[in-house]
Amino acid sequence: MNKKTGYSGLCLLASALFIGSLAAIAQDTELIAPEVETARTDAYEQQLENYLRHFLVEAYEDRAAKLWNRDYSSPAALERSVRPNRRRWEEVLSPPVLSKTGPLETKPYPLGQLQAEWLTLPLGILTAEAVLAFPEGASEQQPVPLIIVQHAIGSSPETPFTAGAYHEYAKGLLDAGFAVLVPMNLRSVERRNNVERYARLAGTSLPGIELVRVQHLLDGVLADPRLDEARVGMWGVSLGGMATLFWMPLESRIKAGVVSAWFNERRNKMAVPDTRYSSFSPREEHAFFNGWLTEFSDEDLVSLIVPRPLMIQHGKNDNIAHWPQVVEAYEKAAIHYQRLHIPEKIDLVLHEGGHEAIVAEGVQFLTDWLTAPNRENE
């Protein structure tokens, strides 16, 4: 048999097998009515949803009680007791190893009347980019604290300097004497959905990648003598609030945080559809991370931030959550501070607005904990 004849024979055999498979499928469909098969499959899908929702929601408290073994005898004891959970949280984000492949580059970047800088740091194929701005009077003789200001999914590094839901809170921080670092993260639902799919295949996550980018930026920025490296805070709105809550457990240089328009009763938000609040599903699959709700509902994640000061901001008219559920989750989070006898280090700003930053309260909170004299910051 020559090669040409053999190849033709294989093609004929493959065609015959394919046609035979189609015939078998057609025969199967004759054995069951389509509506019966659909009903059976619908029932199985519902079983799967019920099973997973029970694991995520109803079984969460019992599971978490076995996975967290907190020791509240002192802040140091608590930190030691949650180290296994911190390691597991790092596994959820799975931040990759990225290395600097060039120096931090800066160039002037005016924002209206504000003189800022655009930073670019090469990390191999990736780059880390951000806006950096200093308040008046910052100098080597008078170094100032730094706030990482993280924008949300529908915005950009310029947005925190503008009006609207952000209320120019980056400017408010500058006016209060803080320098601000505003990292550029990936915007738009569609783009984050696309990249998160690849990230999952690679064993990482987009928040994990963006955390490492910020960490490398901090390495370079905090070498500036105009900045006090011991006084770093973070304030994020919406998905920037997610970044603040996600990153503080893994980045100890962040000494205080403000989470606006993100904190939630996380199990309900992610797994229980309800007309009283919006859902990420089915459009925003970027917001679902492997292993997140095994033990890291928002109030539990806060115990990886204690004893550092934390403010939660939520509007009663913000449909990301049903606000009474936010209050309930906050009260559970506050227990970690109460058990350490530092209840003043956590605060909830429950306001009448919507999906927005509340500037005066957030600026005052960070001022109290990062600049006021005689404040002890762990």
Side-chain angles (χ1 to χ4, degrees):
M1 182 176 71
N2 60 46
K3 291 183 178 180
K4 184 175 181 180
T5 303
Y7 177 75
S8 299
L10 288 173
C11 290
L12 289 171
L13 177 60
S15 297
L17 289 172
F18 178 68
I19 293 170
S21 297
L22 290 177
I25 293 171
Q27 188 176 22
D28 286 344
T29 59
E30 294 175 358
L31 297 177
I32 182 171
E35 61 272 16
V36 174
E37 194 283 329
T38 298
R40 181 177 65 188
T41 301
D42 287 346
Y44 178 44
E45 180 186 23
Q46 191 61 57
Q47 289 175 18
L48 290 169
E49 283 194 18
N50 291 342
Y51 163 72
L52 291 168
R53 189 172 289 122
H54 174 79
F55 175 86
L56 295 170
V57 181
E58 287 85 4
Y60 180 88
E61 295 287 354
D62 289 342
R63 180 173 63 255
K66 297 173 184 176
L67 293 172
W68 293 90
N69 296 287
R70 301 179 183 93
D71 182 348
Y72 293 103
S73 59
S74 71
L78 179 61
E79 196 282 331
R80 287 194 302 272
S81 69
V82 299
R83 281 175 185 169
N85 308 84
R86 195 183 308 277
R87 286 194 294 269
R88 291 195 291 271
W89 175 244
E90 188 171 19
E91 291 173 1
V92 172
L93 296 191
S94 297
V97 175
L98 301 176
S99 300
K100 301 176 184 69
T101 53
L104 179 67
E105 299 178 359
T106 66
K107 65 179 182 180
Y109 193 70
L111 294 171
Q113 300 300 313
L114 177 66
Q115 297 303 310
E117 300 172 351
W118 185 267
L119 309 183
T120 303
L121 180 65
L123 303 170
I125 295 174
L126 293 174
T127 58
E129 297 178 276
V131 169
L132 176 64
F134 286 89
E136 292 185 10
S139 67
E140 186 173 354
Q141 292 72 35
Q142 292 185 313
V144 298
L146 175 72
I147 305 299
I148 303 165
V149 171
Q150 189 56 67
H151 66 82
I153 194 168
S155 56
S156 71
E158 295 78 14
T159 310
F161 297 93
T162 65
Y166 284 81
H167 303 301
E168 301 179 308
Y169 81 101
K171 285 187 177 180
L173 288 164
L174 288 169
D175 292 341
F178 295 97
V180 295
L181 176 71
V182 192
M184 188 197 84
N185 282 353
L186 188 63
R187 65 177 295 173
S188 94
V189 169
E190 293 74 21
R191 288 185 177 95
R192 292 190 77 92
N193 283 348
N194 175 51
V195 172
E196 193 64 54
R197 293 186 196 105
Y198 289 112
R200 290 170 188 155
L201 292 174
T204 184
S205 69
L206 187 47
I209 294 170
E210 292 176 336
L211 165 62
V212 177
R213 290 167 72 246
V214 168
Q215 289 175 319
H216 279 296
L217 284 170
L218 281 178
D219 294 341
V221 167
L222 291 178
D224 191 314
R226 294 173 293 175
L227 293 173
D228 184 343
E229 64 179 354
R231 295 187 292 164
V232 177
M234 185 168 180
W235 186 350
V237 178
S238 192
L239 214 67
M242 178 194 79
T244 306
L245 194 64
F246 277 19
W247 297 352
M248 285 187 71
L250 302 179
E251 180 46 75
S252 60
R253 287 177 291 185
I254 304 172
K255 303 300 184 183
V258 178
V259 175
S260 299
W262 173 261
F263 191 84
N264 221 309
E265 206 307 321
R266 189 58 50 188
R267 287 160 282 163
N268 286 347
K269 173 69 174 180
M270 305 307 297
V272 182
D274 194 311
T275 57
R276 295 174 296 179
Y277 53 81
S278 61
S279 174
F280 287 119
S281 181
R283 180 171 174 259
E284 298 192 52
E285 62 180 275
H286 67 88
F288 294 81
F289 307 103
N290 292 334
W292 184 5
L293 289 185
T294 53
E295 60 189 286
F296 299 110
S297 197
D298 289 14
E299 65 272 15
D300 283 316
L301 198 52
V302 167
S303 68
L304 299 181
I305 295 173
V306 176
R308 289 168 289 170
L310 182 68
M311 171 178 277
I312 306 299
Q313 297 186 347
H314 181 75
K316 291 183 178 180
N317 289 304
D318 186 350
N319 74 343
I320 67 159
H322 180 45
W323 70 263
Q325 293 182 0
V326 174
V327 172
E328 182 180 352
Y330 169 80
E331 289 173 347
K332 293 178 181 177
I335 289 172
H336 307 305
Y337 290 83
Q338 294 162 3
R339 294 285 299 274
L340 289 176
H341 308 292
I342 49 173
E344 70 279 3
K345 286 193 171 185
I346 188 168
D347 193 16
L348 172 64
V349 175
L350 185 66
H351 55 92
E352 300 299 325
H355 200 65
E356 59 189 308
I358 304 301
V359 180
E361 287 86 344
V363 169
Q364 188 62 56
F365 185 82
L366 293 171
T367 299
D368 287 346
W369 290 108
L370 293 177
T371 71
N374 301 320
R375 285 288 202 181
E376 179 184 2
N377 292 289
E378 292 84 357

